[in-house]
Amino acid sequence: MNNFRFFLLFLATVSMTFVYSNRVVFGFTVICQQSGNETEEVTYVDPDYYLLDSLNVAWMFTATAIGMCLGPAPFYFAHFLSTRVLIFSYGFLSAISSILYPLADSLGFWPALVCRFLAGFAQASQLHFTNDLVLRWTPQSEASFFFSIMLATSQFGPLFTMILGGEMCSSSFLDGKPPTTFWDNLEESEKKYILAGKHSTNKKDAVPYKELLKDWTIWISLLMFTGYYLAMIVYQQYSPIFIKQVLHFTIRETGYFSAIPQFIAIFIKIGCGRLLDVKFGCGPKLTLVIPLLILESMSAFSLFLTGFLDDRVWALICMMIFASLHFFVPVICSRTIQIRAAQHSHFALNLNMVIAGIAQILIPLGVQAVVPDNSREQWALVFYFLVITIVITSVLYTVFSRVSPAEWTNPKKKSEYTIYRLSDISPPEPITIPMPRECKY
């Protein structure tokens, strides 16, 4: 199979799409329980139903966020397990969190809270497995393209969920092989293509936590991720509520209007991701900065107009433009971290999931405080705050980030390392040579 890496990409994308979908589906669970749905049947809701209390709804979102904060932990104490076992485990937790939710919902607040925690816990695996796939199975010339497709699961999942959720609310009704055996499915030509230009030490380097956490580029990328998550979580969790209850569209229209930006963002993310690999003669930083400034300036202006305009149709259009463009940011951040931290990028990317979890804890509390009456004026304040966050983080990245491997990614001790080179020799043989002390690459 000469394109086996694309087969793996497809499987990973589908799996992570459903993991993501299981997390965001709760937003439609909330609005489906409220009056105003276009069903022919009359639904009677118990006045004591726990989701009718906005504080309980906030706690459900918070439980998901706590799960995302704790989700990366097993990667550091369960490292003796293979990647395939870990992927299966996280996927199983995600599936269980959704399959058992109807039963948990009928039992009350606490069982449902556990399910939401498990959904967030499983979601925390996204960046770790994405990074692992790109490092192991992607040639350098396709790294951004693979990253953008895997990160597009944050659009595939909501796209599927929002359309299906809107329709349903409006209607009446791995095996045990070790990971290395994957190579048996590769043609030799594809193996050479994937490994060309890569090197690996014979002994895995320990993560230089101190040096990594002192690197300005890592922190700027994490900060920009924070700005992205704030806006993204507000959109994905609250856009159905804003469109239906504030802009007063029907629930079926809400489902489609919420999904349209996800659909557009898929093409923008994948298309621009492929262009990042082409580079057009630009250096690594300029290749990332140009699309960032273009897309984020337009998305920030569109979000400002969402809060500023009184016309509900134009406010909706501007909101959809914002979401369509803003969802490209994680591709920039992830590639920057992967280039800067190299073989240690998994640690920094797992920090992103912790940040996402913290953001999800704070956002429901912040929205509850700033938007108590769910009015246009109150939501405008939220949008203006997000605009300021987007502008500041984009400027910081443009001015201060360095898109090149950090010195602390170089091996500190004399050791042997393996170079893979692309040649006409079949099968390709790695050449193992001692590393000179003064060698820097």
Side-chain angles (χ1 to χ4, degrees), residues 297-308:
S297 60
M298 292 190 294
S299 69
F301 183 65
S302 298
L303 186 58
F304 171 80
L305 293 179
T306 302
F308 182 78

Side-chain angles (χ1 to χ4, degrees), residues 4 216 239 351:
F4 185 70
W216 276 104
S239 65
L351 284 179

